[in-house]
Amino acid sequence: AMGQDPLVLMGQGDLPEIARSLHRRVLGDARPFIVCNKSRSDGAPATVRSAENYETALLALPAARGGTLCVRSNRLPNDYDLIVAAHREPNARFQLVVCESGTPEPGQVTPIVVPPISARADELLTIVKGYADDARARLGVANALHPLDRDWIVKNSSESHPAIEKAAERVIATRDSGGNNAAAASRLGMSPSALGRWFKERKPLPDLEAADRRPRRPGKR
């Protein structure tokens, strides 16, 4: 929490996106979240799909000042020693997050292990609700996620934690915008075409009005 030790995340999948979610909740969107990955293009700006990236520590360090600098253990920049040295400084002004897909080296900070969604099948509905509540708070939405939309997310976008988080935000923004694709996309900071493509790749959202008009069986709530 003081930023004096690196935060080590271990698991499979897109760990930098999980690190980005943690950054958003702890430090907020106003602080920079920078990835230093030598395999990605230099200076790629942040989008809803990926964080801002730099190939070298020389460029990533000043960009991450006051925020978070995230690296993958298997794609470290060639000048990673600059990051290590800067983080050891008493006045280091960034939180270092190391995403580890393998076994941590001896003496390394104890990692936080992120279990795969496939190992949490019994918790899926709870996980979806948690991400949905976070999305409602961030977007200023009062209405809770409809159970049919919750089930839709489980069936269409439950392959990973970032996928569930993304689906919850997009469904809630779309519902609260009355199905207006452009308005929902604007609230999410993405283009209407990108949001439209995302929904097109999945089954249509449930017709909530039709579902609410269906007669209920006696004794059913």
Side-chain angles (χ1 to χ4, degrees):
M2 298 297 294
Q4 297 173 345
D5 284 323
L7 172 63
V8 180
L9 299 179
M10 178 176 292
Q12 303 301 316
D14 197 352
L15 290 177
E17 275 303 300
I18 293 179
R20 194 182 187 186
S21 294
L22 291 172
H23 166 89
R24 183 186 302 130
R25 287 163 174 77
V26 176
L27 298 180
D29 288 324
R31 301 280 191 95
F33 179 85
I34 304 297
V35 174
C36 190
N37 182 344
K38 66 179 181 180
S39 301
R40 286 183 56 205
S41 58
D42 208 24
T47 67
V48 294
R49 299 183 63 181
S50 60
E52 184 176 351
N53 182 81
Y54 292 92
E55 295 180 48
T56 66
L58 187 65
L59 295 176
L61 281 169
R65 188 180 301 275
T68 298
L69 179 58
C70 178
V71 298
R72 286 179 178 268
S73 63
N74 59 348
R75 299 178 186 174
L76 295 175
N78 295 328
D79 55 353
Y80 179 63
D81 57 318
L82 294 180
I83 295 177
V84 174
H87 195 251
R88 286 175 177 169
E89 291 294 325
N91 61 344
R93 297 186 59 189
F94 67 96
Q95 171 67 57
L96 176 61
V97 179
V98 179
C99 297
E100 181 71 66
S101 57
T103 303
E105 298 178 2
Q108 191 179 45
V109 176
T110 302
I112 294 177
V113 178
V114 182
I117 285 293
S118 58
R120 306 184 67 184
D122 294 342
E123 302 174 80
L124 266 181
L125 295 181
T126 301
I127 293 171
V128 171
K129 182 181 182 302
Y131 277 124
D133 289 345
D134 284 350
R136 289 171 53 215
R138 193 166 75 87
L139 296 171
V141 175
N143 295 329
L145 184 71
H146 195 283
L148 291 180
D149 284 339
R150 178 199 61 194
D151 295 341
W152 184 92
I153 293 172
V154 169
K155 293 178 181 178
N156 290 272
S157 298
S158 60
E159 63 269 21
S160 67
H161 292 87
I164 294 175
E165 179 179 32
K166 183 185 298 182
E169 288 182 341
R170 295 180 180 187
V171 170
I172 286 174
T174 299
R175 291 297 195 194
D176 196 61
S177 300
N180 186 310
N181 188 62
S186 177
R187 296 174 71 177
L188 294 167
M190 60 190 301
S191 69
S193 59
L195 182 60
R197 284 195 302 270
W198 185 86
F199 275 111
K200 190 174 181 179
E201 292 170 355
R202 292 157 177 80
K203 294 182 179 180
L205 284 175
D207 186 338
L208 301 185
E209 292 184 1
D212 289 340
R213 289 196 301 267
R214 292 172 189 165
R216 298 180 181 178
R217 296 180 182 177
K220 294 288 186 179
R221 292 186 177 181

